[in-house]
Amino acid sequence: MKILLAVDGSPISTRAAKFVVRLASRLAEPPEVILFNADLPMLQGVTAKLGAKAVARYHKENNEFMLKPARRVLAASKLVVTEEPHVSEPAAAIIKVAKQYKVDLIVMGSKGNGALKGLVLGSVSNRVIAQAPVPVTIVR
């Protein structure tokens, strides 16, 4: 089994990582986990002003920050983990990576660090549920 765990560094995405560990302990064989994060790209004007190196460093640091809590949870579990940090729109990238890896399940938090945190389900979660080629588990 392959599980795509989409995280954004929020406490809810850390809970999603813990859910994956609990789920894995109940399976006959441990799943392969694809640990995914998507950092939104910067506007072209900002990229031109800062320069490619600074923007690359910014995205690398953001991805590291967002992956770190889930990475810590998964490391204790001894699961096989493949990291997939991206710079792109999150929902589309989640769907693309799910298809690329032929995952069996997508696990993600109900809302995260997006601008609309107060919604019951985040906009990324809604789009993934609507477009996912496999079942999606939303962790609250």
Side-chain angles (χ1 to χ4, degrees), residues 38-59:
D39 195 23
L40 287 170
M42 291 187 169
L43 297 172
Q44 284 184 331
V46 174
T47 301
K49 183 109 173 143
L50 295 177
K53 276 188 173 182
V55 170
R57 185 174 58 246
Y58 169 82
H59 287 304

Side-chain angles (χ1 to χ4, degrees), residues 6-140:
V7 299
D8 64 2
S10 69
I12 292 174
S13 64
T14 302
R15 277 188 279 193
K18 290 176 183 177
F19 173 84
V20 168
V21 170
R22 284 192 310 275
L23 176 63
S25 71
R26 293 181 175 107
L27 297 173
E29 291 184 31
E32 178 185 343
V33 177
I34 294 84
L35 180 57
F36 173 89
N37 170 259
D39 195 23
L40 287 170
M42 291 187 169
L43 297 172
Q44 284 184 331
V46 174
T47 301
K49 183 109 173 143
L50 295 177
K53 276 188 173 182
V55 170
R57 185 174 58 246
Y58 169 82
H59 287 304
K60 183 179 180 188
E61 289 172 3
N62 270 358
N63 278 321
E64 181 65 26
F65 173 79
M66 291 182 218
L67 291 170
K68 190 175 182 177
R71 187 186 290 143
R72 202 174 307 131
V73 169
L74 294 170
S77 72
K78 307 276 194 262
L79 291 171
V80 174
V81 177
T82 302
E83 291 190 7
E84 278 289 331
H86 287 256
V87 177
S88 59
E89 190 281 316
I94 289 169
I95 300 302
K96 180 181 175 185
V97 171
K99 289 176 182 177
Q100 174 188 338
Y101 278 92
K102 297 181 173 112
V103 301
D104 302 293
L105 177 67
I106 298 170
V107 176
M108 59 191 299
S110 59
K111 55 188 176 187
N113 287 329
L116 303 174
K117 284 204 265 187
L119 296 177
V120 174
L121 265 186
S123 60
V124 172
S125 301
N126 279 331
R127 280 181 280 170
V128 171
I129 289 168
Q131 299 173 13
V134 297
V136 178
T137 298
I138 302 295
V139 177
R140 299 189 92 192

